[in-house]
């Protein structure tokens, strides 16, 4: 998955490659990595996209397609859900910062910059919508 995060990795494919059942694979993967396979794949895609945004001037659509998304809209929405910023904002912020990445081992950089995706993106969206609606209701009741 790390070497080809742009590819689709459904549980059926992963389980077949591993020679175990889908349920066993999903349980074992989460035990080993602390995340379900789909969330792990999303974090790898976001890491790769963030690196391409930082290190290149390629169009965001090209980066979205290269990192496994089929549309710019889905990429932008998912990227924002996970990082809290738009791809454009991340690019501007990252490129404005002085970079001395060559002095830091890659594994440290990866660990430090890995998005913390502790809940599913859909659950995160639901919670944010509830919080927003709660804030709106709270403001309306004043």
């Amino acid at each position: 998955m790390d070497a080809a995060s742009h590819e689709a990795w459904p549980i059926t494919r992963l389980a077949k490659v591993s020679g175990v059942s889908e349920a066993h694979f999903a349980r074992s993967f989460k035990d080993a990595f602390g995340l379900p396979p789909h969330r792990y794949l999303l974090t790898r895609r976001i890491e790769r996209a963030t690196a391409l945004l930082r290190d290149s001037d390629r169009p965001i659509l090209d980066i979205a397609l290269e990192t496994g998304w089929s549309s710019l809209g889905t990429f932008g929405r998912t990227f924002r859900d996970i990082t809290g910023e738009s791809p454009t904002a991340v690019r501007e912020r990252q490129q404005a910062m002085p970079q001395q990445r060559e002095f830091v081992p890659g594994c440290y950089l990866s660990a430090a910059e890995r998005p913390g995706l502790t809940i599913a993106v859909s659950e995160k969206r639901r919670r944010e919508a509830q919080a927003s609606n709660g804030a709106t209701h709270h403001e309306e009741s004043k």
Side-chain angles (χ1 to χ4, degrees), residues 57-75:
D57 290 322
R58 294 174 54 194
I60 293 175
L61 175 60
D62 291 353
I63 292 172
L65 297 175
E66 183 177 324
T67 55
W69 277 274
S70 58
S71 79
L72 183 59
T74 303
F75 169 68

Side-chain angles (χ1 to χ4, degrees), residues 8 14 27 43 46 66 75 81 86 108 121:
L14 295 165
R27 247 188 339 269
T43 62
I46 294 297
E66 183 177 324
F75 169 68
D81 285 341
S86 70
Y108 286 108
V121 171

Side-chain angles (χ1 to χ4, degrees), residues 101-127:
R101 303 176 65 80
E102 64 273 10
F103 300 116
V104 182
C107 59
Y108 286 108
L109 288 172
S110 292
E113 296 175 344
R114 183 160 295 145
L117 191 56
T118 56
I119 60 173
V121 171
S122 58
E123 177 62 16
K124 187 175 181 180
R125 285 181 190 151
R126 188 185 65 76
R127 289 181 186 180

Side-chain angles (χ1 to χ4, degrees), residues 40-65:
Y40 179 88
L41 180 60
L42 285 179
T43 62
R44 294 307 178 267
R45 287 180 176 177
I46 294 297
E47 283 178 30
R48 178 76 182 129
T50 300
L52 290 170
L53 290 166
R54 180 190 61 239
D55 300 335
S56 77
D57 290 322
R58 294 174 54 194
I60 293 175
L61 175 60
D62 291 353
I63 292 172
L65 297 175

